[in-house]
């Protein structure tokens, strides 16, 4: 138990380097006698002082700290200068001078590897600790690294089945775009097969503890329900505008509610088409009826957020569902302006910049602000208790661009790349909940999971906006740092349990959960007590 937690913890720190909780410490000498270590509330003794690696901010400890306190076996082969840590089903190999480790046969990048200092074999603490299953924390004021093992009672980590009472939402996204989750492209024009596929997905998701589904009912300016404003989605029949012979949305809501689960209608707001060609679009598609409303960017056709009538068209399409269906919420993804792409809206800026914004970026953000505010007002005017939420990209702004931003180095951000000022929406309480897509591991240096999650928790503090965290099981088994074990997801959930503001977990996506990547499903079922 203790070993499993510790392995994960250590992996994360080494990989995270400048973004660790230890960031902010001076890059002084390696040796640092002021550092102290605590395990389950008790101090750890070491005959050699731990120290911080300059520039990468990785805490190094003698190998015997691992073997004597964390229950792992540590071996050292002088001939090839390789350390092997074994425990809790994990085998970690690190070679001096190599910026990578081998964890259960998978290669993982390191910011600092094993090294010999003053005749002692020194190893990266967080990396090994987290791989062995411990939670790792840092107290800047006391200069203390704290390790918490599962079931110790000294931290907020939870054993399987001991789900936090705050975890109200345990959700999964079901994408219809490209038939990613539902329905399958094999089920075109076969209503009974589509219905059976959905029933089975619900049953399998519920069995692992999921209680809420976010189903994409507007993938590309179209609909998975009969609409007077937009065409039937091509992902139902293979042909946009073709009636599938039943009302998929009504069917899905009934099936979901019959299981005691919640159903939220997920809308992709500004994507008009997942390509730039008008071929195959139905006659009542927005790109055909209003070609002046759309802009092609990065191989995708967008509805221009700078045109007021275009924004209202989207709101009207969403309100069809609000008024006609018994959904439990309205959910938007992060399709606002395209990130890091040229977007031809000069004409709209000239025509509709009535507020006189000197910066096009500020004008774009105001367009999205107006859209979010008016949509929220429309939803709550029709159904005051209906939840309205957004799932934005995981980083609002980097602190290098804004002192209010997170201690991250994300290449794109909500505010600067998509012109989505999510922090303002939270402060103004235009939305009821937010589900940031925190799709990074506890080992990601540019945007570490715990740092990003903490920022969002601070963002909702003092508001009535609920916080759920978006997780990425689709990354399990990839070469990206931290995703070589399904325990990564469990460690993230355990971290969430320590944060009072976090009230739910949502996974992208259903198909990735159902594939049981690296054995995640039994772990998740156990954690949720399902």
């Amino acid at each position: 138990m203790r070993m499993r937690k510790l392995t994960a913890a250590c992996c994360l720190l080494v990989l995270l380097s400048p973004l660790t909780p230890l960031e902010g410490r001076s890059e002084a000498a390696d040796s640092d006698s002021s550092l102290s270590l605590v395990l389950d509330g008790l101090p750890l003794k070491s005959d050699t002082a731990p120290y911080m690696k300059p520039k990468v901010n990785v805490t190094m400890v003698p190998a015997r700290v691992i073997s004597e306190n964390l229950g792992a076996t540590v071996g050292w082969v002088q001939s090839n200068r390789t350390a092997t840590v074994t425990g809790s089903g994990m085998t970690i190999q690190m070679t001096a001078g190599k910026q990578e480790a081998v964890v259960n046969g998978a290669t993982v990048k390191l910011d600092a590897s094993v090294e010999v200092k003053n005749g002692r074999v020194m190893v990266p603490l967080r990396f090994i600790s987290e791989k062995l299953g411990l939670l790792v924390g840092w107290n800047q004021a006391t200069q203390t690294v704290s390790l918490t093992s599962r079931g110790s009672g000294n931290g907020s980590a939870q054993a399987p089945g001991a789900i936090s009472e705050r975890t109200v939402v345990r959700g999964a996204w079901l994408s219809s775009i490209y038939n990613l989750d539902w329905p399958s492209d094999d089920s075109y024009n076969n209503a009974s097969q589509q219905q059976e596929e959905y029933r089975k997905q619900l049953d399998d998701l519920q069995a692992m503890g999921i209680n809420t589904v976010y189903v994409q009912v507007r993938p590309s300016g179209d609909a998975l329900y009969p609409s007077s404003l937009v065409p039937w989605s091509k992902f139902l029949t293979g042909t946009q505008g073709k009636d599938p012979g039943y009302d998929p949305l009504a069917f899905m809501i009934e099936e979901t509610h019959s299981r005691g689960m919640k159903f939220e209608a997920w809308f992709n707001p500004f994507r008009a088409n997942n390509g730039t060609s008008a071929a195959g679009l139905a006659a009542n598609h927005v790109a055909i009826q209003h070609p002046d409303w759309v802009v092609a960017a990065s191989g995708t056709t967008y509805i221009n957020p700078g045109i007021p009538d275009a924004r209202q068209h989207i709101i009207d399409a969403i309100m069809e569902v609000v008024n006609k269906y018994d959904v439990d919420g309205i959910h938007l993804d992060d399709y606002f302006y395209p990130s890091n792409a040229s977007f031809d809206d000069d004409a709209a800026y000239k025509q509709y910049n009535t507020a006189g914004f000197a910066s096009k970026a500020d004008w774009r953000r105001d367009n999205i602000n107006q859209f979010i505010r008016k949509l929220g007002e429309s939803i709550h005017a029709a159904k005051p208790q209906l939840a309205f939420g957004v799932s934005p990209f995981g980083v609002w702004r980097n602190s290098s661009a804004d002192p209010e931003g997170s201690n991250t180095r994300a290449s794109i951000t909500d505010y600067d790349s998509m012109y989505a000022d999510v922090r303002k929406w939270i402060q103004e309480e235009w939305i009821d909940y937010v589900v940031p897509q925190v799709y990074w591991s506890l080992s990601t240096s540019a945007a570490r999971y715990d740092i990003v999650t903490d920022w969002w928790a601070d963002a909702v503090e003092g508001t009535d906006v609920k916080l759920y965290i978006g997780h990425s099981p689709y990354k399990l088994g990839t070469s990206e740092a931290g995703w070589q074990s399904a325990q990564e997801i469990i460690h993230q959930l355990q971290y969430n349990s320590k944060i009072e503001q976090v009230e739910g977990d949502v996974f992208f996506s259903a198909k990735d959960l159902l594939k049981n990547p690296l054995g995640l499903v039994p772990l998740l079922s156990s954690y949720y007590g399902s």
Side-chain angles (χ1 to χ4, degrees):
M1 212 61 97
R2 173 175 296 184
M3 289 299 300
R4 197 166 49 199
K5 270 191 165 178
L6 185 43
T7 306
C10 282
C11 255
L12 298 174
L13 178 53
V14 177
L15 298 171
L16 298 178
S17 73
L19 294 180
T20 66
L22 307 180
E23 186 173 19
R25 290 176 47 82
S26 64
E27 297 177 358
D30 279 356
S31 181
D32 191 345
S33 59
S34 66
L35 271 177
S36 59
L37 309 177
V38 173
L39 172 63
D40 293 338
L42 300 176
L44 290 181
K45 295 182 179 180
S46 173
D47 56 1
T48 299
Y51 59 87
M52 183 72 62
K53 290 287 294 180
K55 297 183 180 180
V56 293
N57 296 328
V58 174
T59 302
M60 305 295 290
V61 299
R64 66 183 301 173
V65 168
I66 305 298
S67 60
E68 293 180 357
N69 297 282
L70 304 181
T73 299
V74 182
W76 171 255
V77 178
Q78 180 63 33
S79 60
N80 59 11
R81 297 172 62 81
T82 297
T84 301
V85 181
T86 305
S88 295
M90 304 293 292
T91 299
I92 308 165
Q93 291 182 316
M94 296 172 289
T95 300
K98 291 188 176 181
Q99 298 304 109
E100 60 185 27
V102 177
V103 181
N104 285 355
T107 300
V108 180
K109 292 182 179 180
L110 295 174
D111 286 326
S113 187
V114 63
E115 62 186 22
V116 178
K117 187 176 180 67
N118 298 327
R120 294 299 180 93
V121 176
M122 308 296 289
V123 295
L125 177 62
R126 179 185 286 265
F127 180 81
I128 295 176
S129 297
E130 290 181 346
K131 288 300 179 190
L132 295 177
L134 277 74
L135 294 177
V136 182
W138 167 251
N139 187 309
Q140 177 69 25
T142 62
Q143 301 286 285
T144 300
V145 180
S146 61
L147 309 176
T148 305
S149 61
R150 180 178 300 180
S152 68
N154 292 299
S156 300
Q158 294 174 307
I163 180 173
S164 167
E165 292 180 0
R166 296 192 310 274
T167 308
V168 177
V169 171
R170 306 190 298 276
W173 281 289
L174 274 72
S175 302
S176 56
I177 188 77
Y178 302 117
N179 300 105
L180 291 177
D181 289 292
W182 183 89
S184 71
D185 53 9
D186 292 334
S187 71
Y188 284 168
N189 300 303
N190 189 330
S192 61
Q193 181 179 341
Q194 291 178 358
Q195 292 169 359
E196 185 55 35
E197 287 177 356
Y198 185 75
R199 292 189 186 102
K200 186 177 189 315
Q201 284 200 19
L202 280 187
D203 291 342
D204 291 345
L205 289 170
Q206 188 173 44
M208 69 178 75
I210 299 301
N211 62 17
T212 305
V213 290
Y214 300 83
V215 181
Q216 191 177 40
V217 300
R218 175 191 169 90
S220 294
D222 48 15
L224 269 66
Y225 53 90
S227 168
S228 63
L229 298 174
V230 299
W232 281 106
S233 174
K234 68 177 180 181
F235 300 112
L236 291 166
T237 63
T239 302
Q240 190 176 82
K242 184 177 180 180
D243 189 334
Y246 74 114
D247 184 340
L249 180 52
F251 163 77
M252 290 188 291
I253 292 170
E254 181 178 359
E255 287 292 330
T256 305
H257 286 168
S258 71
R259 288 163 173 76
M261 301 171 71
K262 290 187 176 182
F263 182 100
E264 294 218 12
W266 162 18
F267 292 81
N268 184 290
F270 289 95
R271 181 170 58 202
N273 188 22
N274 54 316
T276 58
S277 172
L281 296 181
N284 61 335
H285 189 273
V286 64
I288 301 299
Q289 292 192 331
H290 300 281
D292 54 320
W293 286 3
V294 300
V295 177
S298 297
T300 298
T301 303
Y302 289 81
I303 297 175
N304 190 342
I307 301 176
D309 287 346
R311 295 197 301 266
Q312 186 60 48
H313 166 79
I314 299 170
I315 293 173
D316 291 343
I318 294 173
M319 290 306 297
E320 276 193 316
V321 171
V322 172
N323 291 318
K324 294 180 181 179
Y325 293 91
D326 184 23
V327 295
D328 297 295
I330 296 298
H331 182 80
L332 302 184
D333 57 30
D334 57 355
Y335 260 76
F336 301 108
Y337 283 92
S339 59
N340 297 343
S342 176
F343 192 81
D344 185 8
D345 58 353
D346 288 346
Y349 179 49
K350 182 177 180 180
Q351 181 175 356
Y352 297 109
N353 183 20
T354 56
F357 288 100
S359 162
K360 184 189 282 189
D362 288 337
W363 172 74
R364 286 177 173 178
R365 276 185 285 272
D366 185 65
N367 293 332
I368 302 301
N369 287 345
Q370 289 188 56
F371 171 76
I372 293 294
R373 177 183 55 78
K374 188 170 184 179
L375 175 58
E377 290 173 351
S378 299
I379 291 170
H380 293 136
K383 294 183 177 180
Q385 301 306 313
L386 189 62
F388 169 44
V390 179
S391 178
F393 182 75
V395 173
W396 173 71
R397 293 194 91 184
N398 296 312
S399 57
S400 60
D402 188 325
E404 297 298 324
S406 54
N407 186 15
T408 51
R409 293 180 282 108
S411 59
I412 62 175
T413 66
D414 293 313
Y415 185 94
D416 298 293
S417 306
M418 302 173 191
Y419 305 97
D421 191 355
V422 186
R423 184 168 176 264
K424 181 177 181 64
W425 309 344
I426 293 171
Q427 293 172 334
E428 299 291 342
E429 297 184 355
W430 292 339
I431 56 179
D432 298 308
Y433 69 84
V434 63
V435 194
Q437 299 165 24
V438 190
Y439 293 170
W440 302 284
S441 75
L442 286 156
S443 306
T444 302
S445 61
R448 206 177 71 211
Y449 178 86
D450 54 337
I451 290 176
V452 176
T453 298
D454 287 350
W455 186 91
W456 287 103
D458 290 341
V460 303
E461 176 68 21
T463 75
D464 289 331
V465 177
K466 295 181 180 298
L467 173 63
Y468 316 137
I469 299 297
H471 296 268
S472 54
Y474 71 90
K475 287 189 174 182
L476 287 172
T478 66
S479 60
E480 185 175 325
W483 296 104
Q484 289 71 46
S485 168
Q487 283 291 340
E488 173 66 28
I489 294 290
I490 304 303
H491 293 154
Q492 293 181 3
L493 299 181
Q494 290 167 342
Y495 188 82
N496 292 354
S497 73
K498 300 193 303 179
I499 310 300
E500 181 180 0
Q501 293 84 358
V502 178
E503 299 186 46
D505 326 305
V506 186
F507 301 93
F508 189 85
S509 65
K511 75 176 189 310
D512 298 290
L513 283 179
L514 297 173
K515 288 178 181 177
N516 190 26
L518 303 183
L520 174 63
V521 169
L523 297 176
L524 199 62
S525 299
S526 178
Y527 183 82
Y528 283 144
S530 59

